[in-house]
DNA sequence: CCGTCTGTGACACCGAGTGCCAACTTCGCC
DNA sequence: GGCGAAGTTGGCACTCGGTGTCACAGACGG
């Protein structure tokens, strides 16, 4: 189990490395699966045994951030309200992005520019909301309509994610701006942050 | 000009009618373009001259609602704040959906269930935010950071759209609920509605 | 040494989408 | 009314993403 899986993970990383080099050079859509498989030294058919599709190469990266945000949200004080807690949970991801801005800025721009990645973006949004909404639910003021608590949590979480995306776009398009300030601005415009 | 265009529009409607019948019967992804073209009595190649892609058949419907929301938002009193104005602008669309719930509920469920439509959903979201954000901007409290006003408007608009989507999902999955109440609940959980 | 299990590559296939070209219709103009 | 231009159509071939199938190679334990 462990030996085989370790090798598999190593191969996945290797393939992804080649793929991202090609994406950076020619863009996502213009890079064909054959080119990636070729660069990685494997057959096209084998590529699809390691990745369900070309978009999984991109999704992989985005899911990491989701987990990071989720664990950060779990570690916020339990009595903190949902909106400021979500803002705080985004901080770690934001910091990482600003540190590696030479990598993450082009990624953000690619996500906006490539129509072929729109399905991937929607998938990411769903995964994030699915993961974060249960944690958000516990931070909402309790009401008598308990059956709608899931919907409320989903709405608040999706709104926060939408603010994060808006801030990320603005940050990617305007070099020199602070992603943290942009996010404070975006989320603060929707609801007070404390 | 007008004669040709009128015929073209009529053909588009005719094709769309056949397509939606097939979608309802077999689902979106399971319906091939060949089947649609066949049902409409035209060649596959000609279909692609009327629609840029299979997904345009779905997007067409969703864009209408966006325009409806935009005109509703334009007609709200100018001094109304962004959040309640957006809530009110959604009302007309909501009413239409509840009236034609035998059609719109399956559409909502299809949008969630078909992975092939995720790119279409993301496209709709962008079109709506692009259309509504300028109208939202005028309703935000003015600050000194004028250069970020676009980002704030995008964040608020995208949050409202996210709430609408959350309410629509809950409504589609729970027959007998009121879409208006669900939306009040969702948007009210994010920010006060008045 | 033999059976088995896994990874791999090759081939064929499907569906979405596009470029190209030949045939046909429609329209306007002489 | 005829004639040429312009637009519409359909067929063909092609690209690209993705899947099913099969046959082959190597690792493994009995």
């Amino acid at each position: 189990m462990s030996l085989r899986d370790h090798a598999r993970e190593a191969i996945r990383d290797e393939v992804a490395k080649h793929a991202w080099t090609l994406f950076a050079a020619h863009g996502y859509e213009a890079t064909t699966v054959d080119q990636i498989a070729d660069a990685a030294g494997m057959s096209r058919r084998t590529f699809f045994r390691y990745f369900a599709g070309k978009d999984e190469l991109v999704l992989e990266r985005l899911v990491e951030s989701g987990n990071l945000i989720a664990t950060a949200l779990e570690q916020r004080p339990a009595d903190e309200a949902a909106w400021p807690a979500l803002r705080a949970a985004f901080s770690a991801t934001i910091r990482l992005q600003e540190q590696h801005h030479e990598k993450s800025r082009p990624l953000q721009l690619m996500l906006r520019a490539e129509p072929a990645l729109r399905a991937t973006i929607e998938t990411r949004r769903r995964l994030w909301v699915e993961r974060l909404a249960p944690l958000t639910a516990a931070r909402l003021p309790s009401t008598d309509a308990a059956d709608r608590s899931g919907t409320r949590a989903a709405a608040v979480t999706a709104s926060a994610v939408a603010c994060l995306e808006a801030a990320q776009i603005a940050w990617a398009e305007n070099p020199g701006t602070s992603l943290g300030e942009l996010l404070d601005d975006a989320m603060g415009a929707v609801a007070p942050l404390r």
Side-chain angles (χ1 to χ4, degrees), chain A:
Chain A
M1 121 194 183
S2 159
L3 194 150
R4 229 56 180 171
D5 279 5
H6 192 277
R8 185 179 166 82
E9 210 55 29
I11 294 180
R12 272 182 70 105
D13 288 356
E14 175 76 6
V15 175
K17 211 186 84 187
H18 289 288
W20 281 102
T21 308
L22 291 167
F23 291 162
H26 313 117
Y28 175 79
E29 198 165 12
T31 305
T32 71
V33 173
D34 295 76
Q35 291 169 348
I36 300 171
D38 236 42
M42 58 172 56
S43 84
R44 167 191 169 67
R45 191 66 186 86
T46 300
F47 169 86
F48 283 108
R49 289 203 182 89
Y50 281 93
F51 295 91
K54 200 171 74 166
D55 56 341
E56 197 174 307
L57 287 159
V58 181
L59 193 59
E60 209 181 27
R61 288 210 168 181
L62 306 176
V63 169
E64 291 172 30
S65 312
N67 290 330
L68 186 61
I69 295 169
T71 61
L73 185 54
E74 277 165 0
Q75 283 164 7
R76 298 298 305 173
D79 60 338
E80 193 177 31
W83 201 247
L86 282 162
R87 167 61 186 92
F90 290 153
S91 289
T93 302
I94 279 182
R95 208 170 311 124
L96 272 180
Q97 269 190 62
E98 288 191 316
Q99 277 170 15
H100 306 92
H101 59 91
E102 325 92 28
K103 295 273 183 186
S104 79
R105 206 187 295 266
L107 172 59
Q108 293 296 330
L109 293 174
M110 193 178 93
L111 284 177
R112 303 298 298 178
E114 298 264 9
L117 284 174
R118 286 186 190 165
T120 309
I121 293 174
E122 173 66 13
T123 303
R124 171 191 63 166
R125 200 186 326 254
R126 287 200 200 185
L127 289 173
W128 283 18
V129 173
E130 207 172 301
R131 184 111 165 68
L132 298 175
L135 306 174
T136 304
R139 300 175 182 277
L140 292 179
S142 60
T143 63
D144 44 354
D147 53 331
R148 290 189 196 150
S149 134
T151 305
R152 278 199 300 273
V156 173
T157 310
S159 294
V161 171
C163 290
L164 176 59
E165 285 174 7
Q168 283 175 331
I169 297 162
W171 174 74
E173 289 175 347
N174 302 95
T177 54
S178 154
L179 182 49
E181 287 180 22
L182 284 166
L183 180 60
D184 281 333
D185 218 28
M187 289 186 74
V190 176
L193 269 174
R194 57 196 79 244

